[in-house]
Amino acid sequence: MLERIIFSLLFLLRLSLLVRGSALTTAISANERLCFYADVDKAGEKIGFYFAVQSGGSFDIDFDIKDPNDKILLDGQRERQGDYVLTANTVGEYAFCFENDMSTLTEKLIDFDIMVESEPRREAPAKPGQIASRLVP
């Protein structure tokens, strides 16, 4: 249990140092709920979430994603894997939780990835033969 707490704290530390993506593997014991968190700095950022159950039981897990207001954005039961992209409409901390309460004895091993990224607006490229100009204040 202490190992999981330390792991979660290290994960949050990485996020606070502006690491915008992370690929992780975690074990979830029987009857356990384990959550990971990602901060969104501005509305409109994209959140990528991927997971795959690597071992344990029927290779399935329950999950949910909640926004900073504790509203469930996405959930699934007995899923083997998932790959989702969401738009963050609210600034703050998003929760990504796995729950292994359907299992009474079996630990599950899960690979997952949470990414938060800004999508900078790009200028349209100049047409062939035209010179791009920029306004200087």
Side-chain angles (χ1 to χ4, degrees), residues 23-47:
L24 301 167
T25 299
T26 189
I28 301 177
S29 300
N31 296 312
E32 182 179 19
R33 179 176 174 85
L34 187 58
C35 296
F36 298 88
Y37 302 90
D39 285 323
V40 171
D41 297 330
K42 62 182 179 178
E45 287 186 330
K46 299 295 183 191
I47 300 172

Side-chain angles (χ1 to χ4, degrees), residues 5 11 19 27 29 38 41 45 63 72 86-87 102 116 121 127:
I5 291 171
F11 177 74
V19 173
S29 300
D41 297 330
E45 287 186 330
F63 76 96
I72 295 177
L86 308 166
T87 300
M102 87 269 299
V116 178
R121 302 216 183 257
K127 293 180 182 176

Side-chain angles (χ1 to χ4, degrees), residues 5 20 25 35 38 49 54 60 79 81 85 88 110 115 118 132 137:
I5 291 171
R20 304 301 285 175
T25 299
C35 296
F49 176 59
Q54 299 300 317
D60 59 354
E79 301 285 336
Q81 66 181 32
V85 176
I110 299 176
M115 295 184 311
S118 298

Side-chain angles (χ1 to χ4, degrees), residues 66-81:
K66 292 183 181 180
D67 73 4
N69 299 319
D70 234 15
K71 177 183 172 189
I72 295 177
L73 301 176
L74 186 64
D75 65 352
Q77 285 74 43
R78 299 180 186 254
E79 301 285 336
R80 292 177 177 227
Q81 66 181 32

